[in-house]
C-alpha cells in the first residue's frame, strides 16, 4: 500500500491539465467519493493495527497534496482567464497616475517661452562662481554689502569663490565670449545667506534677460517688459516703472504690475496699493560693457532680472516659500493640471 501511495504522490506532483474539463476529470479521479483516494481510505480499514499510524499519515498527506495541487491548477486557469480579457481592446484602460512638473519648472518654462518669442535664446552658467563674474565685472564696489558674509555664501577666499547670488553672473560670461548682437535669457538657481522662513530661503531661482546691440534704448526695454507682463499675467495687466539702483545698470528701475490677485483694487497681497513688484531692470552700465570687452561707444543694451518664486506666487498664490523645496506630494500634485 505504501508503494501505491508513493506512486500516486509522484503522479500528483506531475499532474498537468490543459483545460478546465481535464482538471475536473483529475479532481474526480483523485478526490471524489468514488475516487482513488477514497478507495485507499476504504482499504485502510483492513490494514493491520501496527501499520495504521504510518499509513494513516501517508494517506492524509496524499489527500492534502492532491487537494492543493488541484486548487493551484484551478487558480492558474482563473488567472489566465483574466489575462485573456486584458487583451480585449474594447475594455477601458487602467488609470495611469499622472506625474507633475514642479511649479517652479512650469513657470520657468513659461517665462522662457515668452522671451523665446522675442528672439531670446537660453544661456547657462555655473552656480559656483568667482568674484569677478558675480560682483566685480558687474560694477559692485569693493565695500558693497552684497560682498558681505551675511549675504553671500563663500566657498573659498583666495581667489574668492562664491555661490552665485544672482543670475546676472551669466550676463558677463556671455558678453566676454560673444560679439553683439546678444539676446539671451539665463534661468537658474541662486543662493543667499538668509535665515529660512516662509518668505525667504537660502536658495531660489531667477531668470535674467540681456539684450545688447547698436542703438538699444530704454523704450525697447519698456516694450519688452510690457509684452512679458501681458503674456504672463493677461492682456489687461498694466506695468509701472519706479527709479531704482543696481550697480550694473544705469539708469535702473523696478517694475510693478497691477496686482493680478485683486485686479488693482487693493488686497492684502499688494498691501492695498494695487501694485506688486516683480523685477529689476535697466540699461547696462557702460562700465560693465567695457569690463567684458564690448565697446560702449558702439553698443548699448538692457538687462532685467526676476525671481521665479515671486512670479509663481503671483500665479498660484503659494503662501510659504518653503513648500517649493519640501517635496510634499500633497502640494506638488496640485499642479497636475498645469502641466
Ligand atoms: N541681479 C538682481 C538681483 O538679484 C536683479 C536684477 C536687477 C537683474 C536689475 C538685472 C537688472 O539684470 O537689470 O536682485
Amino acid at each position: 500500500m505504501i508503494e501505491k501511495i508513493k506512486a500516486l504522490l509522484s503522479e500528483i506532483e506531475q499532474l498537468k491539465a490543459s483545460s478546465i474539463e481535464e482538471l475536473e476529470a483529475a479532481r474526480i479521479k483523485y478526490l471524489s467519493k468514488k475516487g482513488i483516494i477514497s478507495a485507499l481510505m476504504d482499504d485502510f480499514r483492513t490494514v493491520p493495527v501496527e501499520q495504521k499510524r504510518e499509513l494513516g499519515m501517508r494517506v492524509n498527506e496524499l489527500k492534502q497534496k492532491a487537494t492543493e495541487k488541484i486548487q493551484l491548477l484551478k487558480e492558474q486557469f482563473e488567472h489566465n482567464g483574466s489575462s485573456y480579457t486584458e487583451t480585449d481592446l474594447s475594455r477601458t484602460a487602467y488609470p495611469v497616475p499622472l506625474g507633475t512638473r514642479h511649479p517652479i519648472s512650469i513657470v520657468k518654462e513659461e517665462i522662457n517661452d515668452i522671451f523665446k518669442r522675442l528672439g531670446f535664446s537660453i544661456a547657462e552658467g555655473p552656480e559656483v562662481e568667482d568674484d569677478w563674474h558675480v560682483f566685480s565685472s558687474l560694477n559692485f564696489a569693493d565695500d558693497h554689502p552684497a560682498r558681505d558674509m551675511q549675504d553671500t555664501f563663500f566657498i573659498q577666499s583666495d581667489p574668492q569663490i562664491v555661490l552665485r547670488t544672482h543670475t546676472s553672473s551669466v550676463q558677463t560670461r556671455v558678453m566676454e565670449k560673444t560679439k553683439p548682437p546678444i539676446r539671451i535669457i539665463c534661468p537658474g538657481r541662486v543662493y543667499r545667506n538668509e535665515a529660512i522662513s516662509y518668505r525667504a530661503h537660502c536658495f531660489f531661482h531667477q531668470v535674467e534677460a540681456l539684450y545688447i546691440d547698436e542703438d538699444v534704448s530704454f523704450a525697447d526695454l519698456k516694450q519688452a517688459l510690457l509684452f512679458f507682463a501681458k503674456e504672463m499675467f493677461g492682456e489687461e495687466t498694466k506695468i509701472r516703472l519706479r527709479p531704482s539702483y543696481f550697480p550694473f545698470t544705469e539708469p535702473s528701475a523696478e517694475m510693478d504690475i497691477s496686482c493680478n490677485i485683486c485686479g488693482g483694487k487693493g488686497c492684502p497681497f499688494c498691501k492695498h496699493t494695487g501694485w506688486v513688484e516683480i523685477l529689476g531692470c535697466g540699461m547696462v552700465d557702460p562700465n560693465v560693457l567695457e569690463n567684458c570687452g564690448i565697446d560702449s561707444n558702439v553698443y548699448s543694451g538692457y538687462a532685467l532680472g526676476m525671481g521665479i518664486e515671486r512670479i509663481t506666487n503671483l500665479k498660484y498664490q503659494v503662501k510659504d516659500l518653503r513648500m517649493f523645496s519640501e517635496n510634499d506630494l500633497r502640494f506638488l500634485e496640485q499642479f497636475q493640471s498645469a502641466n
Side-chain angles (χ1 to χ4, degrees):
M1 193 166 168
I2 285 206
E3 291 313 310
K4 199 169 167 192
I5 293 175
K6 280 187 184 160
L8 281 169
L9 262 177
S10 83
E11 214 178 292
I12 280 167
E13 252 165 45
Q14 284 155 32
L15 182 69
K16 286 196 186 76
S18 59
S19 68
I20 203 95
E21 289 77 21
E22 242 182 85
L23 183 64
E24 180 58 10
R27 190 191 66 78
I28 292 169
K29 176 175 167 196
Y30 294 105
L31 292 171
S32 70
K33 278 201 181 120
K34 293 191 176 147
I36 298 177
I37 294 174
S38 271
L40 270 180
M41 300 268 196
D42 288 342
D43 295 349
F44 176 70
R45 286 195 207 107
T46 62
V47 298
V49 187
E50 63 275 14
Q51 288 178 21
K52 268 203 156 89
R53 202 175 120 80
E54 196 196 341
L55 277 173
M57 269 161 40
R58 289 198 182 240
V59 176
N60 276 337
E61 185 194 343
L62 176 67
K63 188 173 178 190
Q64 195 186 343
K65 287 257 158 73
T67 314
E68 279 171 11
K69 181 72 189 241
I70 285 176
Q71 181 61 26
L72 181 80
L73 289 173
K74 196 170 156 218
E75 277 167 16
Q76 277 173 6
F77 271 116
E78 279 165 5
H79 178 76
N80 288 345
S82 78
S83 79
Y84 173 73
T85 55
E86 268 171 17
T87 59
D88 173 0
L89 297 181
S90 63
R91 207 179 132 175
T92 6
Y94 289 116
V96 179
L98 257 194
T100 45
R101 280 194 302 146
H102 194 279
I104 295 293
S105 303
I106 296 172
V107 172
K108 180 180 79 181
E109 292 299 322
E110 217 174 322
I111 300 171
N112 288 352
D113 280 350
I114 296 170
F115 280 98
K116 278 189 210 159
R117 292 206 285 281
L118 288 175
F120 286 74
S121 49
I122 294 182
E124 285 183 330
E127 293 178 14
V128 180
E129 257 296 9
D130 51 35
D131 172 274
W132 170 254
H133 290 97
V134 180
F135 299 126
S136 300
S137 64
L138 290 162
N139 220 18
F140 279 80
D142 281 346
D143 56 358
H144 193 283
R147 292 173 180 262
D148 197 274
M149 300 275 279
Q150 280 177 356
D151 293 300
T152 303
F153 288 114
F154 286 85
I155 303 260
Q156 183 186 300
S157 60
D158 191 21
Q160 215 152 61
I161 305 288
V162 301
L163 291 182
R164 67 179 180 196
T165 56
H166 55 180
T167 43
S168 306
S169 55
V170 187
Q171 285 187 18
T172 13
R173 284 211 168 255
V174 173
M175 282 193 277
E176 281 170 342
K177 284 192 305 227
T178 325
K179 198 175 160 338
I182 296 170
R183 217 195 284 250
I184 50 154
I185 37 168
C186 328
R189 183 173 281 189
V190 300
Y191 302 83
R192 290 196 195 163
N193 196 353
E194 303 256 9
I196 297 173
S197 74
Y198 75 98
R199 52 201 294 263
H201 211 294
C202 59
F203 64 79
F204 54 100
H205 301 80
Q206 287 187 334
V207 176
E208 185 89 8
L210 174 76
Y211 176 35
I212 311 279
D213 204 347
E214 291 175 26
D215 300 325
V216 178
S217 72
F218 203 91
D220 296 319
L221 169 61
K222 264 178 95 173
Q223 202 52 48
L225 290 173
L226 184 63
F227 177 79
F228 168 73
K230 284 178 182 284
E231 290 291 298
M232 192 75 202
F233 297 104
E235 189 53 36
E236 67 293 344
T237 309
K238 295 191 183 62
I239 63 167
R240 89 177 174 187
L241 292 171
R242 284 179 291 105
S244 184
Y245 172 78
F246 299 103
F248 37 89
T249 44
E250 181 59 36
S252 306
E254 268 162 317
M255 181 176 94
D256 300 341
I257 58 162
S258 48
C259 177
N260 80 321
I261 290 166
C262 62
K265 288 193 206 75
C267 70
F269 192 85
C270 60
K271 301 200 183 76
H272 302 282
T273 62
W275 296 94
V276 279
E277 182 198 320
I278 63 161
L279 55 79
C281 58
M283 301 307 291
V284 180
D285 192 301
N287 285 344
V288 174
L289 295 176
E290 296 294 337
N291 282 342
C292 301
I294 292 176
D295 188 344
S296 61
N297 293 313
V298 181
Y299 295 105
S300 56
Y302 65 70
L304 60 99
M306 69 188 101
I308 304 181
E309 277 78 355
R310 177 133 187 93
I311 308 284
T312 312
N313 278 347
L314 266 170
K315 283 210 90 136
Y316 299 114
Q317 284 140 61
V318 179
K319 299 240 160 52
D320 187 335
L321 263 184
R322 291 170 293 197
M323 305 275 254
F324 290 127
S325 48
E326 276 172 354
N327 254 349
D328 186 334
L329 281 180
R330 290 169 303 178
F331 169 67
L332 297 173
E333 278 171 353
Q334 294 176 47
F335 295 90
Q336 237 161 29
S337 59
N339 267 337

